[in-house]
Amino acid sequence: MFATTHKIQGAGGAGGDDLYWLTTIAHSSSGVQNFGIRADNSNSVCGAGFLTGDNKSYLLKFEADGSISWNKTFENSNGTGFRGIASDYSGNIWTSGFDSPNGINRGILAKYSSSGSLQLQKTYGPASGQYVYFNYITIDSSNNIYASGPMTAGAVAYNYGPGLVKLNSSGVVQWQKTVAGGGSGSAKSPVDGSGNSFLIYSTQTSNSTITAIKLDSSGSVVWQKGISGQGYVYSRNAVVDSSGNLYISFACTAYSSGSNTGPAIVKLNSSGVVQWCRTLNFFLTNFTDNVAVNDAGDVYVSYVTKAVSGDKDIKIIKYNSSGSLQWQRSLGSSAAENMQFNSLALDKNDNVLVSFDTNVTGSGVNTSAVYVKLPPDGSGTGTYGSFVYAASSYTSTARSVSSSNLSNTVSNLSYSVSNASGTDSSTSYTENTYEITP
């Protein structure tokens, strides 16, 4: 495996002597589709996703300079796709996703040690005719796992709603919940420092409202709120800060033209009361925006823009805890490349971690994944390979949204968790599978 790393020369900010880098990853016969970036408890950067041509999942861990420390592929006879990544407080790395045996979808979980050893693997879901899809995973301070996504609650396949499953560190289910009839293709489940979890989603049947449900550590509803007032809205991602405040990034149509959607973020306090909402004046291209927050309550959001020329790039925005815009940056390409499926996280030093997919327009080249570590203060602008990191100048506007009480029925699920039999193939994967290009 060969990696080309462009080091970004920027101020260290909170990170001090940290190295900053951009690494591109490609496969000779398959697209590399990124679906997550996180820092583990030793502050090493990890990434996950799947190989689109081979129906395999991948997991990567990077050295401090952006070179790859180790990498794994995970596969079974049904095809797999990692769609989420998280790190626990013992240094293990967890991934969530799906496989598709016999025409159904099941959720999958895999746990790796800090050195890349597969510790356990689980499947969750129906035996036939139904649907489970883990597109989000997070971990609380007791190393409990929360996996969420669309799930079928009844007997009809694809008549699904948002679902959330809590498991202990050994993969044993503690409780599992769903909201029947939600029709949601996505569900996010951040957790706070007290073991409360949140189920965040928007629905196909009520597309003017984002639903936020707060659950205690036993899975009982604390409150549930409907957030509306911005036209059509589609929740994208969510995070909780150290004070229990909830931040939800979403797309809205209230300030866009035609069928275009624009970016927005809303802050709710621990009781579900709206604190502020902000929008920006550019258009979005897909539903993979991400949000992260540091201990000071500073909020970072990343978006994929919809460009007039057909090319797409990444916007990275920083707000303070009061919703004031601190800085904004654009990460694009000089080679007419389309960006998609971005992910965002912060490490322990508040360095900004961004990942996304890219391909050169009209080239027929397989999709590549790009992983980037950036300074926390927005410095380091410049050109790195074909990528350009630069300041942008969009307008942030305060908006009014309402938060009203809801009374959705949150019901128990009864799916089973079983040991999976996927194959972990790190040695051959490391030596033979990847070619890393700039």
Side-chain angles (χ1 to χ4, degrees):
M1 174 176 290
F2 302 92
T4 299
T5 301
H6 305 284
K7 293 186 177 65
I8 294 178
Q9 305 300 320
D17 295 328
D18 282 319
L19 297 175
Y20 303 107
W21 41 264
L22 180 154
T23 300
T24 63
I25 300 171
H27 189 284
S28 60
S29 62
S30 179
V32 184
Q33 197 162 74
N34 144 78
F35 273 101
I37 187 169
R38 290 292 183 272
D40 66 13
N41 72 338
S42 66
N43 228 26
S44 297
V45 178
C46 304
F50 62 91
L51 305 179
T52 57
D54 294 338
N55 291 321
K56 300 177 182 178
S57 298
Y58 74 83
L59 177 65
L60 306 169
K61 186 172 183 177
F62 294 89
E63 298 284 3
D65 65 355
S67 61
I68 293 174
S69 173
W70 52 257
N71 49 64
K72 302 289 183 179
T73 57
F74 179 87
E75 61 180 308
N76 61 28
S77 59
N78 305 312
T80 69
F82 287 163
R83 300 296 295 263
I85 182 173
S87 175
D88 69 21
Y89 288 79
S90 300
N92 301 300
I93 303 160
W94 287 77
T95 58
S96 66
F98 67 95
D99 71 354
S100 303
N102 303 317
I104 65 171
N105 270 40
R106 302 180 301 186
I108 60 171
L109 296 169
K111 176 184 177 180
Y112 289 84
S113 71
S114 59
S115 59
S117 175
L118 183 61
Q119 304 295 293
L120 66 79
Q121 50 178 308
K122 300 287 185 179
T123 61
Y124 169 88
S128 63
Q130 296 185 17
Y131 185 93
V132 172
Y133 198 123
F134 287 154
N135 58 19
Y136 190 92
I137 183 172
T138 190
I139 301 174
D140 69 18
S141 57
S142 299
N143 283 342
N144 295 303
I145 311 303
Y146 300 79
S148 61
M151 300 182 189
T152 304
V156 180
Y158 301 104
N159 182 23
Y160 50 79
L164 172 59
V165 182
K166 179 180 178 179
L167 308 95
N168 66 17
S169 59
S170 298
V172 177
V173 171
Q174 306 301 290
W175 48 256
Q176 44 186 314
K177 303 289 183 178
T178 189
V179 182
S184 174
S186 179
K188 309 302 182 183
S189 54
V191 295
D192 66 18
S194 300
N196 301 301
S197 57
F198 297 80
L199 186 58
I200 313 297
Y201 65 94
S202 54
T203 71
Q204 298 170 355
T205 55
S206 179
N207 58 21
S208 62
T209 302
I210 297 169
T211 299
I213 301 174
K214 183 176 182 178
L215 306 168
D216 65 20
S217 59
S218 299
S220 299
V221 174
V222 178
W223 51 253
Q224 47 179 308
K225 301 289 185 179
I227 301 154
S228 59
Q230 296 298 307
Y232 166 89
V233 292
Y234 193 101
S235 61
R236 303 216 179 184
N237 222 311
V239 69
V240 184
D241 68 18
S242 58
S243 299
N245 299 301
L246 175 66
Y247 304 81
I248 305 171
S249 63
F250 63 98
C252 66
T253 60
Y255 305 100
S256 302
S257 61
S259 61
N260 292 307
T261 57
I265 183 169
V266 61
K267 176 181 179 179
L268 287 71
N269 68 14
S270 60
S271 300
V273 178
V274 172
Q275 304 300 289
W276 50 259
C277 179
R278 301 289 184 269
T279 62
L280 291 157
N281 60 328
F282 56 80
F283 296 149
L284 301 173
T285 189
N286 61 36
F287 296 150
T288 58
D289 302 340
N290 281 271
V291 58
V293 63
N294 64 17
D295 289 341
D298 299 318
V299 189
Y300 298 76
V301 195
S302 63
Y303 303 98
V304 183
T305 64
K306 183 177 183 178
V308 175
S309 65
D311 299 332
K312 305 163 188 175
D313 58 12
I314 307 296
K315 304 300 180 191
I316 305 167
I317 313 295
K318 180 183 178 181
Y319 296 97
N320 67 14
S321 60
S322 301
S324 297
L325 182 64
Q326 303 299 289
W327 53 257
Q328 54 179 299
R329 298 291 182 267
S330 174
L331 181 57
S333 173
S334 59
E337 296 186 73
N338 286 325
M339 282 74 163
Q340 59 183 349
F341 298 116
N342 86 95
S343 183
L344 172 76
L346 301 177
D347 70 10
K348 292 180 179 179
N349 295 328
D350 291 346
N351 296 308
V352 182
L353 312 177
V354 181
S355 61
F356 54 92
D357 304 346
T358 182
N359 69 292
V360 178
T361 305
S363 67
V365 174
N366 286 321
T367 302
S368 299
V370 183
Y371 291 88
V372 192
K373 180 179 177 181
L374 297 165
D377 59 2
S379 60
T381 56
T383 299
Y384 307 98
S386 63
F387 294 94
V388 179
Y389 183 55
S392 55
S393 57
Y394 294 100
T395 301
S396 174
T397 304
R399 303 295 186 185
S400 296
V401 294
S402 61
S403 173
S404 57
N405 292 325
L406 297 177
S407 57
N408 294 309
T409 300
V410 180
S411 56
N412 293 321
L413 284 169
S414 57
Y415 289 143
S416 61
V417 170
S418 57
N419 292 326
S421 57
T423 300
D424 171 51
S425 55
S426 59
T427 302
S428 60
Y429 179 87
T430 299
E431 293 181 351
N432 302 320
T433 306
Y434 275 100
E435 295 178 2
I436 308 301
T437 59

